[in-house]
Amino acid sequence: MKSFRKIRHKKLFAMVPTIACIGIIGRSDDPLHISLFPPYMESRLEFSFLLNSCLDILETRQKQTSVDQDLGLLHAVDERLSVYGWLTNTGIKLLIVVDLAGKPTTAELEKRRGHAVSTLKDSDLKPAFRALQNAYIQLLQNPFYSPDAHIPNIKATTPKHSPCSLSNRKFLTEVNRIGDSWMPGIAIV
Amino acid sequence: MDAYPEDYISHNLPLILLAGLEADAHDEAGPPEAQYPLLLERGFQVESDIPPVTGQLADNLRNAFLKEDASDAPWNPNGYAGQPGGIGFRLKSIGRSYRLPSRKAELPPTSPISSSEQKNSDITATTRVLHSPISPLTPGSPTFPDGFLTPLWVTKHQNLVPAATVNFFSLTADVNMSSLRDNQLKIEISNLKNMWASSGYKARFIVVLISENGIYPEDLDDRLASIRRAANLDPRSTFVLPPDLSNADLKDFTTSLLSSLQPSVVEYYRDLSKHARRKRNRGSVPPPTVPPTIGTSQTLSLHGWNVRYEFKLGVFAEFRQEMDAAFRNYESAYEILFGQELFESIAGWNPRFNDARLLADSLAIRILRCLLWSGQTTNAVRRWVSHRDRTQDIVNRRGKGTKNYGWSAWEARWSMVMAQLIQRAEIPSFSADVLQNPSRLHESIFAPPEKNLPVNDIALPWELLHHEGYWLDRSAKYSVLRRTLAHKIPVDDRIAPGQTPASKSYMCDTYLVPAPHSEAPDSEHATFDHSGLILDTLKASLEQFSKRQQTRKVERLSLQIAREYVRVGSWSEALNILKPLWPQLTWRSAGWWELMEEFAWTLRECALRMQDNETIIRTDWELLSHVFSPRPGWKYDLHQSLRDLQESKPKPVVVLKAEDVVSCLSASLVFERAEGNVGEPLRVQLTISSCAHSGSTPINISEVKVGFEGSLRPIKLQSDHNIEDNAPYYDIFSVPLRDSAASVDSPTFLSPTSRMTSMIGSTNLTFRPSQTRAFNLTSIPREAGETKIASITLLIEGEKCDIVYAITDIKQRESHWWLETEKGPIPKRIGKDRDTIVCKILPKPPKVRISTLNLRETYYTNENVTLDIQIHNDEDEAAEVTAQIKLFGRPESTRLSWADDAASSEGIVNIGSKNHSTNSISRAMGRLASLAKVALPIRLSDTNDALDFELEISLVYYLVTDMETPISKTMTVDLSFVTPFGAKFQLLPRIHPRPWPNLFALDDSSIENKSVEKPNGLQQKWCLNSKVVSLSSEPLIVKKISLVLIGIQGATSCNISPEVPISPQTPQILPEELRESEFILDIQQLDLDDRRPTTLSLALDIQWRRPGVDEADSSVNNSVTTSSLGVKPFPVSMGEPRVLASAIGNDTLPGMIYLDYTIENPSMHFLTFSFTMEASEQFAFSGPKTTVIQLVPLSRHTVRYNLLSFKQGLWIQPQLVVVDTYFKKTLRVLSTEGMRSDKKGILIWVDANG
């Protein structure tokens, strides 16, 4: 037992978790925005499927009487990718896909952090979610942004053209910044 | 796990043989046993002549035993019959004969090479050690000379060598035969026992004697004792079954027998463990039977032997169900195996490399099982990952690398193994309890971190054991990758060996997978069924996800499965999977268009192949919507796809419901107003817009039907087939509607108003992409009530199929009304606070008009108001009208009447109102022709108070064509009454010119005419000065002002003179104008003796009229109004003395004034007054400066002074002090005409001209 733990650590010493994808899902489960991060920039469809499948778990979890804002781990699809969720009180779902072996550790990172990343705690994602929620709140404060305009309605009205219709540049930049700069153990993203 | 030899990896259960019952059917050619080397040739045969026990009881017994077989029990501590720690058995019924594997291999035949050493061979042969036929030491063994282990070793212990045998014999009931049979039995049992003992295996020997029916129980004990004695049987190993046992009894018997076996079975395997441990602890390689030829092969190293022993120890522990011990042994075997000396030293080309991998996998699987057994889910996943990593590492370094299909296959298999282990272990988190409880369902996604994990050791996401679906999904992913890699094998390498020498440039890992020529053959040769594997895996995965209601994942897997079917050309299977999901796809309702698009194109492809017209149309309809990304090179043409369909009779109709599909056309309908009226045009606007892909062919709608809830008739728009290519993108049409022909239409889709005939219009219904057309429609409601848009149905006719697109669940978030402006049509937001799809139809509005012609802004009190009410009939037909007029306000004092004929009004019975009040008058006006008008004059009289009134004029009428429906019209008029005038009064004394009555003179007439009472009392003259001011807002014409005596208190007569106007008199009095006038009052007491005070009540009557009213007319009409203004009651005192001053100017001498002071004594006393005239700077006077006047009762006296004023044109103030000397009271001098007075006294005007 001891030895395989050693190997596991050896592998993870070399790799640092990163955010692979950030998904913002609307109140009626509609995708508002999906941001992809290297090395998954080309796998939009795959990640759409992945984010979409998280809604199943959200749904079953919401059958409980109370659901915390921080949903924690929703599921992991394999040994690399796992999805964490956050539910705002307006029903917006923030989903973050973490790649456990996102990028190799650099010496600089090691030095700065002081200790090696061997685990990923649920709480590691909290700063990222908070930052995302703040970014979303800022977006809502924009008087030109109408959150209801994105609710898909197939009933006799014209559906909106783009499925992911958040196009506020400031918001998107912020989402990308969060995705790029997050790392486990970071206090504020 | 199918790829692995079953015995190598499955859980070990002690083998119990059932001998003497009917043998298992498949026993004869059991494949694993048959493979065992030398089993048939040298196996130890155990045989018996006694035929197997038969009969019902034997069969039942056999079934009861076989039911206890725990091979399929879950791999967890609670697995065996719910007894924790209990040991399940593998049970096998073998009949009577059985072949055990030989314990030692044969001596190998002497090789010709060593013939030179022939003479020594006999000597060496005796010293040669024989080993098990599967030992690496035995030539001819699969592991010879350097293999670790063969799965046959596990097979031997699991399937061939029993831990115990249960022998069944029947105990005869035949008394005559019993001793003979019992003797036979004794011999047979002894024989069998000896045979088992001599086999070298230490299986426990159990005897079960089955009594035949009718056996004497008395003899039984003796017989048994004799058999036991003769066969030397242990009483604990002997069981007797009475003949008639129920199935429940049999079950009890079997379970008790088996549980009694447990300790001895455990002991059996413990002995085997001990043996293996002894060999391990020896620490040296045992000598081989034949020393390997030097240089040709190597022998198994000591470490290799240790792996063997540890593995064996682990398996024996597993037999004993001691999983912790097994885990430790497996772990150490695993670690030694992966150590430097073993795995690392085997070359990748060596077949032993794959053997080692097989052993490693087997060990890893057994370790995982042990971990899951004890609930260490997180450790299990970690172990799983680490085995993957270590294998990858070793295969990369020593083997053929991980960039080939063999590795992907292994990855797929390794995931699959985990899924199967999870399934067999029946993890509590994934148990049926959790799955069937909706509130706990979310817990079944992944197991929580195991409880005994150290606190600071936090599990990574994947280390929380996810359910089988995820593992299977992962497995499928790698199977797909495997196929992809297999197809990349160069063609040259796919040729079967033997055909052409293959170049072998391609390095392929063939561990547990077919060689390239069968993995990916170049021709149609039988190939490995990749799709089958992928499909099975995906389906298994789907099953797990659907158990947990992971709908979206299920949809996704279904899509994958369907695509796999499409790949192999199984279109119908693919269609059967996709089609049921399509209508309720979650991706549609939540707007995941990208995902839905993937689904749609696959479904369409399948439908096209299977010629499923309806599905083709359904998908085409949705794919045409611009929410989906346009497919490059695809020609979007709905009509073309309708034409391309397979012909079928009758012509099919595809009904699309708006709430179920994403549409390429959208339609909405709004009412212009929230309310409408029966019989009046009601405007609605239908907006249809196309949201098809730009560049797609325009869509021609054949017909649009709109159905309403409520009384509105359905509307039908038909295409006029007028296609304009360059029609603007936004367009507004006004479509005239006509009644459809009398024939009844085909019922409108889902419309409750389908029984009514439609209104039909025709217009251009061709829609280019992004084109929006608004149609202004007008409908005339015929019934009152609420009406609501029920459905909008678009019909598209094709040659081979029709499409009906129905919008029934209409909920509009915001509504727009398209308006034509200078810049073109624009949508204007309407109906923000109302539901624009609902319209309230009110009853027909009254078209009879009421107008009041001569209504004035204000009316004045006492005025007789005459109002002309005019009634116009604006209806298209004649009407029977009844009018009712009511007055509200203070109706008690005011009277309402008909001006023309007051009498006729009262006789009419009120129709409109129930309570018949005096201030409500009504009249039936009879029939009023269309466009005719009639006047209705009313009058208000006795309007004494300045108040506001409300006049309600209500009409109830019936149209002659519809005498059923009353129509009512009401109008209210406000009437406000104000007082027209205000007045100020001043009463001034005057000197009565007539002499006072003489007490001493006798009036003759009074004596003569006693009957006529003539006043003979004292007289007084007064002047009433009135100042009338107009309070009205308009000029009024005053005809006459008179003072009227309303009442006298006291015995007094009073004569009032007519008005003496003072201010300049014009008949018209302007607003706020003052009009001053005087009235002279002559008051005389009736009797001289009467001393009582008198009070006069007076009123000023003003007769006036409005200036506009004609004089002549006013005589007829009571247009002259008399407004009466009350004067304060006027007390007249006739008993007190008073002094009145009067002045007369001298015409000749300016400034000369004769001033008379008249003093009256109306009392019955002598009164003495002293007069003192005070000197003044203003004038000089002549007359007594001081004098005393004594007055007798009822007398008056005048004293004259001549005053000469020093100046003219001013008021002078003579001060005469008159004092009643008796009462010491100064009398006030009162002024009369031409004089004024102030506080100091009287003032006299000295005229400049004299």
Side-chain angles (χ1 to χ4, degrees), chain B residues 135-166:
Chain B
S135 163
L137 301 171
T138 308
S141 146
T143 51
F144 182 80
D146 54 354
F148 296 104
L149 204 66
T150 160
L152 290 174
W153 182 84
V154 192
T155 309
K156 181 172 94 178
H157 285 281
Q158 182 62 72
N159 278 323
L160 298 176
V161 182
T165 52
V166 185

Side-chain angles (χ1 to χ4, degrees), chain A residues 1-5 7-12 17 25 28-31 34 44-57 59-64 73-84 95 98 100 118-122 148-164, chain B residues 327 331 335 371 376 379 382-386 388-390 411 438-439 441-442 445-446 456-464 466 470 474 477-478 548-554 556 559 586-595 598 625-627 658-663 666-668 689 691 805 807 809 811-813:
Chain A
M1 179 84 88
K2 205 186 290 169
S3 52
F4 84 76
R5 176 76 57 76
I7 286 190
R8 191 171 73 91
H9 283 185
K10 194 182 83 191
K11 262 195 86 70
L12 286 168
I25 313 293
S28 43
D29 291 351
D30 48 322
I34 296 175
R44 188 183 166 84
L45 188 63
E46 272 310 302
F47 276 91
S48 292
F49 274 122
L50 173 55
L51 294 177
N52 184 255
S53 69
C54 295
L55 297 175
D56 290 328
I57 295 162
E59 213 164 79
T60 49
R61 284 223 195 152
Q62 276 168 327
K63 282 178 188 158
Q64 278 179 289
L73 176 69
L74 296 176
H75 62 180
V77 275
D78 55 25
E79 55 274 39
R80 281 187 77 167
L81 297 179
S82 46
V83 194
Y84 290 80
L95 300 176
V98 176
L100 281 181
S118 59
T119 52
L120 177 66
K121 297 190 284 286
D122 279 13
D148 287 340
H150 304 295
I151 295 175
N153 189 355
I154 57 168
K155 293 175 181 99
T157 51
T158 318
K160 294 285 172 283
H161 186 80
S162 163
C164 296
Chain B
F327 173 72
E331 270 292 343
E335 290 305 328
L371 289 169
Q376 301 184 53
N379 271 331
R382 285 178 178 169
R383 200 69 189 76
W384 180 91
V385 173
S386 90
R388 195 199 80 99
D389 292 345
R390 294 182 82 160
E411 279 271 24
S439 65
L441 194 62
H442 67 278
I445 304 295
F446 51 81
N456 54 357
D457 185 8
I458 291 155
L460 290 173
W462 181 246
E463 289 172 355
L464 303 168
H466 282 56
Y470 288 94
R474 187 183 184 279
K477 217 176 284 171
Y478 278 101
R548 288 160 178 88
Q549 297 175 12
Q550 289 178 271
T551 333
R552 294 165 184 86
K553 185 74 185 168
V554 166
R556 185 212 165 160
L559 177 60
T586 59
W587 301 333
R588 180 188 292 114
S589 52
W592 292 73
W593 309 127
E594 281 170 301
L595 311 187
E598 297 284 317
S625 170
H626 67 133
V627 294
E659 57 265 37
D660 295 341
V661 297
V662 178
S663 177
S666 71
S668 61
S689 50
C691 21
Y805 176 66
I807 305 166
D809 184 13
K811 286 193 196 79
Q812 286 166 5
R813 210 169 34 237

Side-chain angles (χ1 to χ4, degrees), chain B residues 84-106:
Chain B
I87 297 174
F89 295 109
R90 174 127 200 266
L91 292 155
K92 209 157 142 186
S93 184
I94 54 163
R96 277 283 181 228
S97 64
Y98 191 67
R99 191 178 284 276
L100 286 163
S102 70
R103 289 177 55 82
K104 299 290 179 204
E106 285 178 310

Side-chain angles (χ1 to χ4, degrees), chain B residues 251-269:
Chain B
K251 186 174 165 19
D252 290 347
F253 171 73
T254 37
T255 47
S256 73
L257 188 145
L258 289 175
S259 57
S260 78
L261 275 178
Q262 286 193 6
S264 60
V265 166
V266 168
E267 198 52 46
Y268 169 80
Y269 287 107

